[in-house]
Amino acid sequence: MTAVTDLEALAGRAGGELEGAEPLDVLNWAVAQFGSSWCVASSMADAVLPHLASRALPGVDVIFLDTGYHFAETIGTRDAVAATMPVTVRTITPAQTVAEQDGQYGPRLFSRNPDLCCALRKVAPLESALEPYHAWASGLRRDEALTRGSVRVVEWDAKRGMVKLNPIAAWTQDDVDAYIAENGVLVNPLLSDGYGSVGCAPCTRRTREGEDARAGRWAGTSKIECGLHT
Ligand code: SF4
């Protein structure tokens, strides 16, 4: 097992050296460093990152957090990815069902305390799911929101003591759209139905003209991130 201090130094160096590299080169670097001990986390808004990752490592693990609150379209996208792509989808569920959570905390926790709801249904399950790996990859992009403007293509995830890969950090929406078109990548149908970003159904609305892509997430509250990337 590689020492955590070594991994941290590795992430720091690679973050500088791989800036400007193609996403596939970032993922090939991950294979060279970690073999198959890395995974992708996907919200199933689209399958761009799973597609790229499967080119670097056929059969790569793709983690999907099934909060129990997803749109049917998102579950359908997950199932289509699992059925048609050379990846291994791992569906991760929270410790409690929605009904059990309602019993302990009361119904609609998402409307009263979304931070706690996300902690229980997303953050804690992801932490357990990531334990077997040295690194994980996300589809974060700098142009998605101001809070994501300083994301590096490789960085140190101090909270989890592992390397984090953001291979498409520098891509724009146009880059993503071009990759989808060129490669016939699966896309969640909600993205062509007015949603700029896809999260849990109770906490996601369609975006309006001129809003940034994530404006429909937790709209009307001060919450802007679920806690997976902070
Ligand atoms: S996005 Fe909403 S429903 Fe989903 S886990 Fe967070 S608070 Fe709960």
Side-chain angles (χ1 to χ4, degrees), residues 137-216:
S138 90
L140 290 192
R141 299 201 330 264
R142 294 171 190 151
D143 76 339
E144 288 177 307
L146 287 175
T147 48
R148 298 185 171 184
S150 59
V151 165
R152 305 184 86 195
V153 290
V154 180
E155 56 190 15
W156 178 238
D157 181 346
K159 187 167 143 191
R160 301 179 181 93
M162 61 196 302
V163 176
K164 184 167 179 203
L165 312 158
N166 303 302
I168 61 170
W171 272 13
T172 63
Q173 187 61 51
D174 285 348
D175 294 324
V176 172
D177 292 344
Y179 188 86
I180 288 169
E182 282 163 21
N183 296 281
V185 175
L186 283 162
V187 175
N188 190 315
L190 293 174
L191 292 183
S192 52
D193 189 22
Y195 291 85
S197 173
V198 179
C200 293
C203 301
T204 308
R205 67 152 169 77
R206 290 179 173 86
T207 38
R208 299 174 185 133
E209 190 79 26
E211 287 184 333
D212 78 32
R214 290 180 59 80

Side-chain angles (χ1 to χ4, degrees), residues 45-222:
D46 62 56
V48 168
L49 190 61
H51 189 279
L52 280 161
S54 72
R55 290 170 63 193
L57 180 67
V60 64
D61 286 352
V62 174
I63 289 175
F64 172 70
L65 301 173
D66 187 352
T67 62
Y69 282 119
H70 283 299
F71 292 98
E73 290 87 342
T74 302
I75 300 299
T77 304
R78 186 260 332 252
D79 292 345
V81 166
T84 64
M85 292 178 59
V87 298
T88 305
V89 173
R90 291 182 58 208
T91 294
I92 308 297
T93 53
Q96 292 182 312
T97 64
V98 169
E100 287 166 348
Q101 179 173 294
D102 287 354
Q104 182 169 349
Y105 298 95
R108 299 174 60 84
L109 183 62
F110 53 78
S111 65
R112 292 175 289 108
N113 191 341
D115 285 342
L116 178 58
C117 187
C118 278
L120 294 167
R121 311 203 73 74
K122 288 186 171 181
V123 180
L126 181 67
E127 312 244 301
S128 309
L130 292 180
E131 267 170 25
Y133 307 101
H134 284 113
W136 67 295
S138 90
L140 290 192
R141 299 201 330 264
R142 294 171 190 151
D143 76 339
E144 288 177 307
L146 287 175
T147 48
R148 298 185 171 184
S150 59
V151 165
R152 305 184 86 195
V153 290
V154 180
E155 56 190 15
W156 178 238
D157 181 346
K159 187 167 143 191
R160 301 179 181 93
M162 61 196 302
V163 176
K164 184 167 179 203
L165 312 158
N166 303 302
I168 61 170
W171 272 13
T172 63
Q173 187 61 51
D174 285 348
D175 294 324
V176 172
D177 292 344
Y179 188 86
I180 288 169
E182 282 163 21
N183 296 281
V185 175
L186 283 162
V187 175
N188 190 315
L190 293 174
L191 292 183
S192 52
D193 189 22
Y195 291 85
S197 173
V198 179
C200 293
C203 301
T204 308
R205 67 152 169 77
R206 290 179 173 86
T207 38
R208 299 174 185 133
E209 190 79 26
E211 287 184 333
D212 78 32
R214 290 180 59 80
R217 306 286 295 276
W218 305 286
T221 78
S222 59

